[in-house]
Every structure is written in C-alpha cells, then in structure tokens.
Amino acid sequence: MIKWIPFTCFIFIIAIASDRLSATHRSFWQRVTIWSGAIYFAAVSWLTMAPTSLNIPTASKHFFYFHQIAYNVIPFQATSWEFFLNIVMTIPAGVYLYLASERHRTLSRVLIAGVCLGLFIESSQFIFDLIFDLQRTADIDDVITNALGVYIGFF
C-alpha cells in the first residue's frame, strides 16, 4: 500500500492545480482544456509512477544498478515498442504546452521543456523507486523520446 504514495500525491497535486486554474479562467473551453489536461497528466502519472509488480524490458539493454534500482545512461542501445510509445505518450504534453504558452516559442525552448519533462519523470521514478520500491527503471532513452514527443505535439 505504501508503494502508491507517489502516485496518490501526484493526483492530489494535479487536482488542486486544475481546480485553481479553472477558477481563474472563465471560458467554458478554457476549463475543458484545463480539466482534459488534468486527466492526461493523471494518466501519465499512472503510467509512470504507479508501482509495477513485473518490470520486463522488451529491448536487450545493459542496465546499471544502484541499490537494486535499474537505470540506463547509454542512449539507443536497443529500441522496442516502448521507445515509440513514449513518444506517443508525450505528444499531448506538447499540445498543452502550445495552448498554454505564447505562440512564438523557439525550437530550443520547446526541446528544453521536453527534456525537463523527461528528466522529471525519470528522476522521480528513480527516487521513488529508491524510497518505495516501485520496480521502475530509469532510462535515458525515455528522456529523449519524451522530448521528441513534446516537440512533435507542440509543432
């Protein structure tokens, strides 16, 4: 039961932020966008922060270990369907970034936002796996594919 604390905390933060944002925006479509974004980020939290009972990487990669936590810092060792699903998972984040920002964002700022999202997810997985044993794997390929997904979604 303790393994669900990170996911529950993320859901709580998403709900509070969405409620506060929707209170300051009066348009019906702005509220629809905010709450659909909340549902999207809740789904991403479930996909990335919920504990797993079985973690079988589909691609053969050489993982390093820190206190029995698997992580990969060598990019593009092997690709699998998970590689492409990470891109698909973060395309909506790029769309929400486009809707929430000024339209003249540069390529570098969009890529930095994507890398920051990927680093946040992977470092959270690593830290929470260290604390709560979520059975997650931190992978540099996920950071790269998350940035690519945000880029595609933004443009």
PDB file of all heavy atoms in Angstrom, residues 40-41 86-98 105 107-118 121 142-155:
ATOM      1  N   TYR A  40      -5.187  13.971 -18.616  1.00  0.00           N
ATOM      2  CA  TYR A  40      -3.996  13.498 -19.327  1.00  0.00           C
ATOM      3  C   TYR A  40      -2.817  13.309 -18.361  1.00  0.00           C
ATOM      4  O   TYR A  40      -2.166  12.259 -18.362  1.00  0.00           O
ATOM      5  CB  TYR A  40      -3.615  14.469 -20.453  1.00  0.00           C
ATOM      6  CG  TYR A  40      -2.215  14.257 -20.949  1.00  0.00           C
ATOM      7  CD1 TYR A  40      -1.897  13.149 -21.730  1.00  0.00           C
ATOM      8  CD2 TYR A  40      -1.193  15.131 -20.619  1.00  0.00           C
ATOM      9  CE1 TYR A  40      -0.605  12.930 -22.170  1.00  0.00           C
ATOM     10  CE2 TYR A  40       0.100  14.928 -21.056  1.00  0.00           C
ATOM     11  CZ  TYR A  40       0.389  13.825 -21.829  1.00  0.00           C
ATOM     12  OH  TYR A  40       1.675  13.612 -22.251  1.00  0.00           O
ATOM     13  N   PHE A  41      -2.536  14.321 -17.536  1.00  0.00           N
ATOM     14  CA  PHE A  41      -1.398  14.211 -16.621  1.00  0.00           C
ATOM     15  C   PHE A  41      -1.633  13.166 -15.528  1.00  0.00           C
ATOM     16  O   PHE A  41      -0.680  12.558 -15.047  1.00  0.00           O
ATOM     17  CB  PHE A  41      -1.031  15.582 -16.046  1.00  0.00           C
ATOM     18  CG  PHE A  41      -0.297  16.439 -17.034  1.00  0.00           C
ATOM     19  CD1 PHE A  41      -0.898  17.538 -17.620  1.00  0.00           C
ATOM     20  CD2 PHE A  41       0.997  16.120 -17.419  1.00  0.00           C
ATOM     21  CE1 PHE A  41      -0.222  18.310 -18.553  1.00  0.00           C
ATOM     22  CE2 PHE A  41       1.695  16.882 -18.348  1.00  0.00           C
ATOM     23  CZ  PHE A  41       1.067  17.980 -18.913  1.00  0.00           C
ATOM     24  N   ASN A  86       6.591   5.945 -25.796  1.00  0.00           N
ATOM     25  CA  ASN A  86       6.979   7.129 -25.022  1.00  0.00           C
ATOM     26  C   ASN A  86       6.798   8.400 -25.835  1.00  0.00           C
ATOM     27  O   ASN A  86       6.421   9.436 -25.300  1.00  0.00           O
ATOM     28  CB  ASN A  86       8.426   7.015 -24.546  1.00  0.00           C
ATOM     29  CG  ASN A  86       8.533   6.334 -23.220  1.00  0.00           C
ATOM     30  OD1 ASN A  86       7.709   6.527 -22.348  1.00  0.00           O
ATOM     31  ND2 ASN A  86       9.553   5.518 -23.067  1.00  0.00           N
ATOM     32  N   ILE A  87       7.071   8.329 -27.125  1.00  0.00           N
ATOM     33  CA  ILE A  87       6.839   9.493 -27.988  1.00  0.00           C
ATOM     34  C   ILE A  87       5.350   9.800 -28.042  1.00  0.00           C
ATOM     35  O   ILE A  87       4.921  10.945 -27.850  1.00  0.00           O
ATOM     36  CB  ILE A  87       7.411   9.246 -29.405  1.00  0.00           C
ATOM     37  CG1 ILE A  87       8.927   9.110 -29.353  1.00  0.00           C
ATOM     38  CG2 ILE A  87       6.997  10.373 -30.360  1.00  0.00           C
ATOM     39  CD1 ILE A  87       9.564   8.666 -30.660  1.00  0.00           C
ATOM     40  N   VAL A  88       4.538   8.780 -28.271  1.00  0.00           N
ATOM     41  CA  VAL A  88       3.087   8.957 -28.358  1.00  0.00           C
ATOM     42  C   VAL A  88       2.530   9.489 -27.034  1.00  0.00           C
ATOM     43  O   VAL A  88       1.642  10.340 -27.023  1.00  0.00           O
ATOM     44  CB  VAL A  88       2.408   7.630 -28.762  1.00  0.00           C
ATOM     45  CG1 VAL A  88       0.906   7.716 -28.652  1.00  0.00           C
ATOM     46  CG2 VAL A  88       2.826   7.240 -30.172  1.00  0.00           C
ATOM     47  N   MET A  89       3.072   9.003 -25.918  1.00  0.00           N
ATOM     48  CA  MET A  89       2.586   9.414 -24.604  1.00  0.00           C
ATOM     49  C   MET A  89       2.775  10.910 -24.361  1.00  0.00           C
ATOM     50  O   MET A  89       1.951  11.542 -23.691  1.00  0.00           O
ATOM     51  CB  MET A  89       3.306   8.623 -23.507  1.00  0.00           C
ATOM     52  CG  MET A  89       2.888   9.008 -22.105  1.00  0.00           C
ATOM     53  SD  MET A  89       3.817   8.166 -20.819  1.00  0.00           S
ATOM     54  CE  MET A  89       5.364   9.060 -20.852  1.00  0.00           C
ATOM     55  N   THR A  90       3.829  11.500 -24.899  1.00  0.00           N
ATOM     56  CA  THR A  90       4.114  12.905 -24.589  1.00  0.00           C
ATOM     57  C   THR A  90       3.700  13.889 -25.687  1.00  0.00           C
ATOM     58  O   THR A  90       3.867  15.093 -25.501  1.00  0.00           O
ATOM     59  CB  THR A  90       5.610  13.085 -24.276  1.00  0.00           C
ATOM     60  OG1 THR A  90       6.380  12.530 -25.334  1.00  0.00           O
ATOM     61  CG2 THR A  90       5.963  12.426 -22.961  1.00  0.00           C
ATOM     62  N   ILE A  91       3.146  13.404 -26.775  1.00  0.00           N
ATOM     63  CA  ILE A  91       2.634  14.327 -27.801  1.00  0.00           C
ATOM     64  C   ILE A  91       1.563  15.251 -27.229  1.00  0.00           C
ATOM     65  O   ILE A  91       1.597  16.465 -27.466  1.00  0.00           O
ATOM     66  CB  ILE A  91       2.160  13.557 -29.047  1.00  0.00           C
ATOM     67  CG1 ILE A  91       3.368  13.026 -29.820  1.00  0.00           C
ATOM     68  CG2 ILE A  91       1.297  14.439 -29.949  1.00  0.00           C
ATOM     69  CD1 ILE A  91       3.020  12.139 -31.006  1.00  0.00           C
ATOM     70  N   PRO A  92       0.591  14.743 -26.443  1.00  0.00           N
ATOM     71  CA  PRO A  92      -0.385  15.681 -25.855  1.00  0.00           C
ATOM     72  C   PRO A  92       0.243  16.729 -24.941  1.00  0.00           C
ATOM     73  O   PRO A  92      -0.249  17.851 -24.858  1.00  0.00           O
ATOM     74  CB  PRO A  92      -1.334  14.768 -25.073  1.00  0.00           C
ATOM     75  CG  PRO A  92      -1.221  13.452 -25.743  1.00  0.00           C
ATOM     76  CD  PRO A  92       0.216  13.351 -26.183  1.00  0.00           C
ATOM     77  N   ALA A  93       1.339  16.402 -24.270  1.00  0.00           N
ATOM     78  CA  ALA A  93       2.010  17.400 -23.430  1.00  0.00           C
ATOM     79  C   ALA A  93       2.500  18.566 -24.286  1.00  0.00           C
ATOM     80  O   ALA A  93       2.433  19.724 -23.868  1.00  0.00           O
ATOM     81  CB  ALA A  93       3.170  16.766 -22.664  1.00  0.00           C
ATOM     82  N   GLY A  94       2.981  18.266 -25.482  1.00  0.00           N
ATOM     83  CA  GLY A  94       3.389  19.327 -26.400  1.00  0.00           C
ATOM     84  C   GLY A  94       2.219  20.173 -26.857  1.00  0.00           C
ATOM     85  O   GLY A  94       2.335  21.393 -26.995  1.00  0.00           O
ATOM     86  N   VAL A  95       1.079  19.543 -27.078  1.00  0.00           N
ATOM     87  CA  VAL A  95      -0.124  20.286 -27.464  1.00  0.00           C
ATOM     88  C   VAL A  95      -0.552  21.213 -26.329  1.00  0.00           C
ATOM     89  O   VAL A  95      -0.867  22.387 -26.558  1.00  0.00           O
ATOM     90  CB  VAL A  95      -1.267  19.320 -27.857  1.00  0.00           C
ATOM     91  CG1 VAL A  95      -2.563  20.080 -28.098  1.00  0.00           C
ATOM     92  CG2 VAL A  95      -0.888  18.503 -29.080  1.00  0.00           C
ATOM     93  N   TYR A  96      -0.556  20.703 -25.096  1.00  0.00           N
ATOM     94  CA  TYR A  96      -0.915  21.547 -23.954  1.00  0.00           C
ATOM     95  C   TYR A  96       0.101  22.662 -23.746  1.00  0.00           C
ATOM     96  O   TYR A  96      -0.269  23.769 -23.353  1.00  0.00           O
ATOM     97  CB  TYR A  96      -1.076  20.714 -22.683  1.00  0.00           C
ATOM     98  CG  TYR A  96      -2.352  19.915 -22.685  1.00  0.00           C
ATOM     99  CD1 TYR A  96      -2.320  18.532 -22.710  1.00  0.00           C
ATOM    100  CD2 TYR A  96      -3.593  20.541 -22.677  1.00  0.00           C
ATOM    101  CE1 TYR A  96      -3.494  17.790 -22.730  1.00  0.00           C
ATOM    102  CE2 TYR A  96      -4.763  19.813 -22.692  1.00  0.00           C
ATOM    103  CZ  TYR A  96      -4.716  18.439 -22.722  1.00  0.00           C
ATOM    104  OH  TYR A  96      -5.869  17.720 -22.743  1.00  0.00           O
ATOM    105  N   LEU A  97       1.375  22.392 -24.002  1.00  0.00           N
ATOM    106  CA  LEU A  97       2.393  23.439 -23.926  1.00  0.00           C
ATOM    107  C   LEU A  97       2.099  24.533 -24.947  1.00  0.00           C
ATOM    108  O   LEU A  97       2.202  25.726 -24.649  1.00  0.00           O
ATOM    109  CB  LEU A  97       3.793  22.849 -24.147  1.00  0.00           C
ATOM    110  CG  LEU A  97       4.959  23.831 -24.127  1.00  0.00           C
ATOM    111  CD1 LEU A  97       5.106  24.454 -22.741  1.00  0.00           C
ATOM    112  CD2 LEU A  97       6.242  23.135 -24.536  1.00  0.00           C
ATOM    113  N   TYR A  98       1.703  24.138 -26.148  1.00  0.00           N
ATOM    114  CA  TYR A  98       1.353  25.110 -27.185  1.00  0.00           C
ATOM    115  C   TYR A  98       0.149  25.953 -26.760  1.00  0.00           C
ATOM    116  O   TYR A  98       0.144  27.171 -26.921  1.00  0.00           O
ATOM    117  CB  TYR A  98       1.044  24.389 -28.495  1.00  0.00           C
ATOM    118  CG  TYR A  98       0.604  25.310 -29.596  1.00  0.00           C
ATOM    119  CD1 TYR A  98       1.529  26.049 -30.319  1.00  0.00           C
ATOM    120  CD2 TYR A  98      -0.743  25.455 -29.910  1.00  0.00           C
ATOM    121  CE1 TYR A  98       1.131  26.912 -31.325  1.00  0.00           C
ATOM    122  CE2 TYR A  98      -1.155  26.304 -30.918  1.00  0.00           C
ATOM    123  CZ  TYR A  98      -0.219  27.034 -31.612  1.00  0.00           C
ATOM    124  OH  TYR A  98      -0.610  27.882 -32.605  1.00  0.00           O
ATOM    125  N   ARG A 105       7.266  30.478 -29.329  1.00  0.00           N
ATOM    126  CA  ARG A 105       8.344  29.729 -28.654  1.00  0.00           C
ATOM    127  C   ARG A 105       9.357  29.259 -29.684  1.00  0.00           C
ATOM    128  O   ARG A 105       9.003  28.864 -30.781  1.00  0.00           O
ATOM    129  CB  ARG A 105       7.785  28.527 -27.922  1.00  0.00           C
ATOM    130  CG  ARG A 105       7.127  28.888 -26.645  1.00  0.00           C
ATOM    131  CD  ARG A 105       7.346  27.768 -25.684  1.00  0.00           C
ATOM    132  NE  ARG A 105       6.733  28.106 -24.426  1.00  0.00           N
ATOM    133  CZ  ARG A 105       7.404  28.154 -23.295  1.00  0.00           C
ATOM    134  NH1 ARG A 105       8.663  27.866 -23.258  1.00  0.00           N
ATOM    135  NH2 ARG A 105       6.796  28.463 -22.187  1.00  0.00           N
ATOM    136  N   LEU A 107      12.518  26.726 -31.021  1.00  0.00           N
ATOM    137  CA  LEU A 107      12.816  25.303 -31.028  1.00  0.00           C
ATOM    138  C   LEU A 107      13.550  24.890 -29.752  1.00  0.00           C
ATOM    139  O   LEU A 107      13.220  23.882 -29.129  1.00  0.00           O
ATOM    140  CB  LEU A 107      13.655  24.951 -32.263  1.00  0.00           C
ATOM    141  CG  LEU A 107      14.326  23.590 -32.281  1.00  0.00           C
ATOM    142  CD1 LEU A 107      13.281  22.495 -32.381  1.00  0.00           C
ATOM    143  CD2 LEU A 107      15.310  23.501 -33.425  1.00  0.00           C
ATOM    144  N   SER A 108      14.530  25.684 -29.347  1.00  0.00           N
ATOM    145  CA  SER A 108      15.321  25.324 -28.172  1.00  0.00           C
ATOM    146  C   SER A 108      14.479  25.322 -26.901  1.00  0.00           C
ATOM    147  O   SER A 108      14.637  24.446 -26.052  1.00  0.00           O
ATOM    148  CB  SER A 108      16.510  26.273 -28.021  1.00  0.00           C
ATOM    149  OG  SER A 108      16.074  27.594 -27.850  1.00  0.00           O
ATOM    150  N   ARG A 109      13.555  26.263 -26.763  1.00  0.00           N
ATOM    151  CA  ARG A 109      12.716  26.299 -25.558  1.00  0.00           C
ATOM    152  C   ARG A 109      11.759  25.113 -25.503  1.00  0.00           C
ATOM    153  O   ARG A 109      11.497  24.578 -24.432  1.00  0.00           O
ATOM    154  CB  ARG A 109      11.939  27.602 -25.487  1.00  0.00           C
ATOM    155  CG  ARG A 109      12.807  28.763 -25.099  1.00  0.00           C
ATOM    156  CD  ARG A 109      11.977  29.976 -24.847  1.00  0.00           C
ATOM    157  NE  ARG A 109      12.822  31.053 -24.384  1.00  0.00           N
ATOM    158  CZ  ARG A 109      12.373  32.216 -24.009  1.00  0.00           C
ATOM    159  NH1 ARG A 109      11.084  32.465 -24.039  1.00  0.00           N
ATOM    160  NH2 ARG A 109      13.195  33.139 -23.596  1.00  0.00           N
ATOM    161  N   VAL A 110      11.236  24.713 -26.635  1.00  0.00           N
ATOM    162  CA  VAL A 110      10.338  23.552 -26.675  1.00  0.00           C
ATOM    163  C   VAL A 110      11.123  22.284 -26.331  1.00  0.00           C
ATOM    164  O   VAL A 110      10.658  21.448 -25.547  1.00  0.00           O
ATOM    165  CB  VAL A 110       9.647  23.438 -28.052  1.00  0.00           C
ATOM    166  CG1 VAL A 110       8.846  22.156 -28.147  1.00  0.00           C
ATOM    167  CG2 VAL A 110       8.750  24.639 -28.298  1.00  0.00           C
ATOM    168  N   LEU A 111      12.321  22.151 -26.896  1.00  0.00           N
ATOM    169  CA  LEU A 111      13.141  20.976 -26.579  1.00  0.00           C
ATOM    170  C   LEU A 111      13.561  20.966 -25.110  1.00  0.00           C
ATOM    171  O   LEU A 111      13.578  19.910 -24.474  1.00  0.00           O
ATOM    172  CB  LEU A 111      14.368  20.921 -27.489  1.00  0.00           C
ATOM    173  CG  LEU A 111      14.090  20.491 -28.930  1.00  0.00           C
ATOM    174  CD1 LEU A 111      15.362  20.566 -29.756  1.00  0.00           C
ATOM    175  CD2 LEU A 111      13.500  19.103 -28.972  1.00  0.00           C
ATOM    176  N   ILE A 112      13.877  22.124 -24.555  1.00  0.00           N
ATOM    177  CA  ILE A 112      14.225  22.195 -23.133  1.00  0.00           C
ATOM    178  C   ILE A 112      13.032  21.788 -22.273  1.00  0.00           C
ATOM    179  O   ILE A 112      13.186  21.052 -21.295  1.00  0.00           O
ATOM    180  CB  ILE A 112      14.738  23.608 -22.766  1.00  0.00           C
ATOM    181  CG1 ILE A 112      16.129  23.831 -23.368  1.00  0.00           C
ATOM    182  CG2 ILE A 112      14.773  23.818 -21.259  1.00  0.00           C
ATOM    183  CD1 ILE A 112      16.636  25.254 -23.273  1.00  0.00           C
ATOM    184  N   ALA A 113      11.840  22.235 -22.645  1.00  0.00           N
ATOM    185  CA  ALA A 113      10.636  21.843 -21.895  1.00  0.00           C
ATOM    186  C   ALA A 113      10.438  20.329 -21.972  1.00  0.00           C
ATOM    187  O   ALA A 113      10.102  19.682 -20.972  1.00  0.00           O
ATOM    188  CB  ALA A 113       9.412  22.570 -22.439  1.00  0.00           C
ATOM    189  N   GLY A 114      10.655  19.733 -23.153  1.00  0.00           N
ATOM    190  CA  GLY A 114      10.524  18.286 -23.300  1.00  0.00           C
ATOM    191  C   GLY A 114      11.558  17.519 -22.510  1.00  0.00           C
ATOM    192  O   GLY A 114      11.249  16.511 -21.863  1.00  0.00           O
ATOM    193  N   VAL A 115      12.798  17.988 -22.538  1.00  0.00           N
ATOM    194  CA  VAL A 115      13.856  17.338 -21.762  1.00  0.00           C
ATOM    195  C   VAL A 115      13.568  17.466 -20.268  1.00  0.00           C
ATOM    196  O   VAL A 115      13.751  16.510 -19.503  1.00  0.00           O
ATOM    197  CB  VAL A 115      15.243  17.925 -22.119  1.00  0.00           C
ATOM    198  CG1 VAL A 115      16.300  17.474 -21.135  1.00  0.00           C
ATOM    199  CG2 VAL A 115      15.636  17.522 -23.536  1.00  0.00           C
ATOM    200  N   CYS A 116      13.091  18.626 -19.838  1.00  0.00           N
ATOM    201  CA  CYS A 116      12.760  18.811 -18.416  1.00  0.00           C
ATOM    202  C   CYS A 116      11.628  17.871 -17.995  1.00  0.00           C
ATOM    203  O   CYS A 116      11.688  17.292 -16.904  1.00  0.00           O
ATOM    204  CB  CYS A 116      12.370  20.258 -18.137  1.00  0.00           C
ATOM    205  SG  CYS A 116      13.770  21.387 -18.140  1.00  0.00           S
ATOM    206  N   LEU A 117      10.624  17.701 -18.839  1.00  0.00           N
ATOM    207  CA  LEU A 117       9.551  16.764 -18.529  1.00  0.00           C
ATOM    208  C   LEU A 117      10.103  15.348 -18.410  1.00  0.00           C
ATOM    209  O   LEU A 117       9.804  14.627 -17.454  1.00  0.00           O
ATOM    210  CB  LEU A 117       8.449  16.812 -19.588  1.00  0.00           C
ATOM    211  CG  LEU A 117       7.317  15.794 -19.410  1.00  0.00           C
ATOM    212  CD1 LEU A 117       6.529  16.082 -18.133  1.00  0.00           C
ATOM    213  CD2 LEU A 117       6.411  15.789 -20.616  1.00  0.00           C
ATOM    214  N   GLY A 118      10.927  14.939 -19.370  1.00  0.00           N
ATOM    215  CA  GLY A 118      11.520  13.604 -19.328  1.00  0.00           C
ATOM    216  C   GLY A 118      12.415  13.403 -18.121  1.00  0.00           C
ATOM    217  O   GLY A 118      12.363  12.363 -17.459  1.00  0.00           O
ATOM    218  N   ILE A 121      10.213  13.005 -14.982  1.00  0.00           N
ATOM    219  CA  ILE A 121       9.600  11.683 -14.886  1.00  0.00           C
ATOM    220  C   ILE A 121      10.637  10.639 -14.483  1.00  0.00           C
ATOM    221  O   ILE A 121      10.430   9.856 -13.548  1.00  0.00           O
ATOM    222  CB  ILE A 121       8.920  11.300 -16.213  1.00  0.00           C
ATOM    223  CG1 ILE A 121       7.681  12.171 -16.443  1.00  0.00           C
ATOM    224  CG2 ILE A 121       8.539   9.815 -16.224  1.00  0.00           C
ATOM    225  CD1 ILE A 121       7.077  12.014 -17.837  1.00  0.00           C
ATOM    226  N   ASP A 142      14.112   7.216 -22.514  1.00  0.00           N
ATOM    227  CA  ASP A 142      12.805   7.791 -22.197  1.00  0.00           C
ATOM    228  C   ASP A 142      12.868   9.313 -22.162  1.00  0.00           C
ATOM    229  O   ASP A 142      11.926   9.988 -22.588  1.00  0.00           O
ATOM    230  CB  ASP A 142      12.294   7.249 -20.865  1.00  0.00           C
ATOM    231  CG  ASP A 142      11.977   5.762 -20.913  1.00  0.00           C
ATOM    232  OD1 ASP A 142      11.956   5.190 -22.026  1.00  0.00           O
ATOM    233  OD2 ASP A 142      11.755   5.176 -19.841  1.00  0.00           O
ATOM    234  N   VAL A 143      13.953   9.859 -21.659  1.00  0.00           N
ATOM    235  CA  VAL A 143      14.112  11.315 -21.650  1.00  0.00           C
ATOM    236  C   VAL A 143      14.140  11.840 -23.083  1.00  0.00           C
ATOM    237  O   VAL A 143      13.476  12.830 -23.412  1.00  0.00           O
ATOM    238  CB  VAL A 143      15.397  11.725 -20.894  1.00  0.00           C
ATOM    239  CG1 VAL A 143      15.631  13.226 -20.996  1.00  0.00           C
ATOM    240  CG2 VAL A 143      15.328  11.290 -19.440  1.00  0.00           C
ATOM    241  N   ILE A 144      14.876  11.169 -23.944  1.00  0.00           N
ATOM    242  CA  ILE A 144      14.986  11.592 -25.347  1.00  0.00           C
ATOM    243  C   ILE A 144      13.647  11.470 -26.061  1.00  0.00           C
ATOM    244  O   ILE A 144      13.221  12.391 -26.772  1.00  0.00           O
ATOM    245  CB  ILE A 144      16.082  10.766 -26.060  1.00  0.00           C
ATOM    246  CG1 ILE A 144      17.449  11.076 -25.438  1.00  0.00           C
ATOM    247  CG2 ILE A 144      16.080  11.032 -27.559  1.00  0.00           C
ATOM    248  CD1 ILE A 144      18.539  10.108 -25.834  1.00  0.00           C
ATOM    249  N   THR A 145      12.956  10.346 -25.879  1.00  0.00           N
ATOM    250  CA  THR A 145      11.671  10.153 -26.564  1.00  0.00           C
ATOM    251  C   THR A 145      10.601  11.087 -26.001  1.00  0.00           C
ATOM    252  O   THR A 145       9.737  11.548 -26.755  1.00  0.00           O
ATOM    253  CB  THR A 145      11.207   8.694 -26.479  1.00  0.00           C
ATOM    254  OG1 THR A 145      11.164   8.290 -25.112  1.00  0.00           O
ATOM    255  CG2 THR A 145      12.119   7.791 -27.264  1.00  0.00           C
ATOM    256  N   ASN A 146      10.650  11.388 -24.717  1.00  0.00           N
ATOM    257  CA  ASN A 146       9.695  12.353 -24.156  1.00  0.00           C
ATOM    258  C   ASN A 146       9.912  13.729 -24.769  1.00  0.00           C
ATOM    259  O   ASN A 146       8.947  14.422 -25.103  1.00  0.00           O
ATOM    260  CB  ASN A 146       9.829  12.418 -22.634  1.00  0.00           C
ATOM    261  CG  ASN A 146       9.352  11.149 -21.961  1.00  0.00           C
ATOM    262  OD1 ASN A 146       8.656  10.351 -22.541  1.00  0.00           O
ATOM    263  ND2 ASN A 146       9.738  10.982 -20.717  1.00  0.00           N
ATOM    264  N   ALA A 147      11.164  14.140 -24.918  1.00  0.00           N
ATOM    265  CA  ALA A 147      11.447  15.438 -25.543  1.00  0.00           C
ATOM    266  C   ALA A 147      10.970  15.471 -26.990  1.00  0.00           C
ATOM    267  O   ALA A 147      10.396  16.451 -27.450  1.00  0.00           O
ATOM    268  CB  ALA A 147      12.943  15.730 -25.457  1.00  0.00           C
ATOM    269  N   LEU A 148      11.172  14.371 -27.695  1.00  0.00           N
ATOM    270  CA  LEU A 148      10.719  14.290 -29.083  1.00  0.00           C
ATOM    271  C   LEU A 148       9.195  14.358 -29.168  1.00  0.00           C
ATOM    272  O   LEU A 148       8.639  15.029 -30.038  1.00  0.00           O
ATOM    273  CB  LEU A 148      11.250  13.009 -29.739  1.00  0.00           C
ATOM    274  CG  LEU A 148      10.955  12.822 -31.216  1.00  0.00           C
ATOM    275  CD1 LEU A 148      11.518  13.974 -32.051  1.00  0.00           C
ATOM    276  CD2 LEU A 148      11.527  11.490 -31.687  1.00  0.00           C
ATOM    277  N   GLY A 149       8.500  13.680 -28.257  1.00  0.00           N
ATOM    278  CA  GLY A 149       7.042  13.721 -28.239  1.00  0.00           C
ATOM    279  C   GLY A 149       6.509  15.105 -27.969  1.00  0.00           C
ATOM    280  O   GLY A 149       5.551  15.552 -28.614  1.00  0.00           O
ATOM    281  N   VAL A 150       7.112  15.821 -27.020  1.00  0.00           N
ATOM    282  CA  VAL A 150       6.693  17.197 -26.721  1.00  0.00           C
ATOM    283  C   VAL A 150       6.934  18.078 -27.947  1.00  0.00           C
ATOM    284  O   VAL A 150       6.086  18.899 -28.318  1.00  0.00           O
ATOM    285  CB  VAL A 150       7.425  17.733 -25.475  1.00  0.00           C
ATOM    286  CG1 VAL A 150       7.216  19.230 -25.318  1.00  0.00           C
ATOM    287  CG2 VAL A 150       6.953  17.003 -24.226  1.00  0.00           C
ATOM    288  N   TYR A 151       8.064  17.902 -28.611  1.00  0.00           N
ATOM    289  CA  TYR A 151       8.382  18.683 -29.807  1.00  0.00           C
ATOM    290  C   TYR A 151       7.351  18.455 -30.906  1.00  0.00           C
ATOM    291  O   TYR A 151       6.842  19.392 -31.511  1.00  0.00           O
ATOM    292  CB  TYR A 151       9.792  18.331 -30.281  1.00  0.00           C
ATOM    293  CG  TYR A 151      10.191  19.020 -31.543  1.00  0.00           C
ATOM    294  CD1 TYR A 151      10.575  20.354 -31.536  1.00  0.00           C
ATOM    295  CD2 TYR A 151      10.167  18.349 -32.767  1.00  0.00           C
ATOM    296  CE1 TYR A 151      10.939  21.007 -32.703  1.00  0.00           C
ATOM    297  CE2 TYR A 151      10.519  18.994 -33.939  1.00  0.00           C
ATOM    298  CZ  TYR A 151      10.900  20.321 -33.904  1.00  0.00           C
ATOM    299  OH  TYR A 151      11.249  20.956 -35.059  1.00  0.00           O
ATOM    300  N   ILE A 152       7.039  17.192 -31.169  1.00  0.00           N
ATOM    301  CA  ILE A 152       6.047  16.857 -32.197  1.00  0.00           C
ATOM    302  C   ILE A 152       4.693  17.450 -31.845  1.00  0.00           C
ATOM    303  O   ILE A 152       4.007  18.024 -32.692  1.00  0.00           O
ATOM    304  CB  ILE A 152       5.954  15.333 -32.396  1.00  0.00           C
ATOM    305  CG1 ILE A 152       7.254  14.803 -33.031  1.00  0.00           C
ATOM    306  CG2 ILE A 152       4.750  14.956 -33.240  1.00  0.00           C
ATOM    307  CD1 ILE A 152       7.371  13.289 -33.012  1.00  0.00           C
ATOM    308  N   GLY A 153       4.278  17.302 -30.595  1.00  0.00           N
ATOM    309  CA  GLY A 153       2.987  17.823 -30.177  1.00  0.00           C
ATOM    310  C   GLY A 153       2.904  19.339 -30.250  1.00  0.00           C
ATOM    311  O   GLY A 153       1.850  19.896 -30.581  1.00  0.00           O
ATOM    312  N   PHE A 154       3.984  20.015 -29.958  1.00  0.00           N
ATOM    313  CA  PHE A 154       3.976  21.492 -29.994  1.00  0.00           C
ATOM    314  C   PHE A 154       3.868  22.008 -31.418  1.00  0.00           C
ATOM    315  O   PHE A 154       3.121  22.926 -31.683  1.00  0.00           O
ATOM    316  CB  PHE A 154       5.242  22.037 -29.333  1.00  0.00           C
ATOM    317  CG  PHE A 154       5.220  23.538 -29.177  1.00  0.00           C
ATOM    318  CD1 PHE A 154       4.660  24.100 -28.053  1.00  0.00           C
ATOM    319  CD2 PHE A 154       5.755  24.365 -30.144  1.00  0.00           C
ATOM    320  CE1 PHE A 154       4.626  25.482 -27.891  1.00  0.00           C
ATOM    321  CE2 PHE A 154       5.740  25.740 -30.000  1.00  0.00           C
ATOM    322  CZ  PHE A 154       5.160  26.300 -28.868  1.00  0.00           C
ATOM    323  N   PHE A 155       4.594  21.403 -32.323  1.00  0.00           N
ATOM    324  CA  PHE A 155       4.614  21.912 -33.689  1.00  0.00           C
ATOM    325  C   PHE A 155       3.633  21.181 -34.574  1.00  0.00           C
ATOM    326  O   PHE A 155       3.274  21.598 -35.628  1.00  0.00           O
ATOM    327  CB  PHE A 155       6.021  21.850 -34.277  1.00  0.00           C
ATOM    328  CG  PHE A 155       6.937  22.850 -33.647  1.00  0.00           C
ATOM    329  CD1 PHE A 155       7.914  22.445 -32.744  1.00  0.00           C
ATOM    330  CD2 PHE A 155       6.830  24.190 -33.914  1.00  0.00           C
ATOM    331  CE1 PHE A 155       8.756  23.362 -32.140  1.00  0.00           C
ATOM    332  CE2 PHE A 155       7.659  25.122 -33.316  1.00  0.00           C
ATOM    333  CZ  PHE A 155       8.634  24.705 -32.439  1.00  0.00           C
TER     334      PHE A 155
END
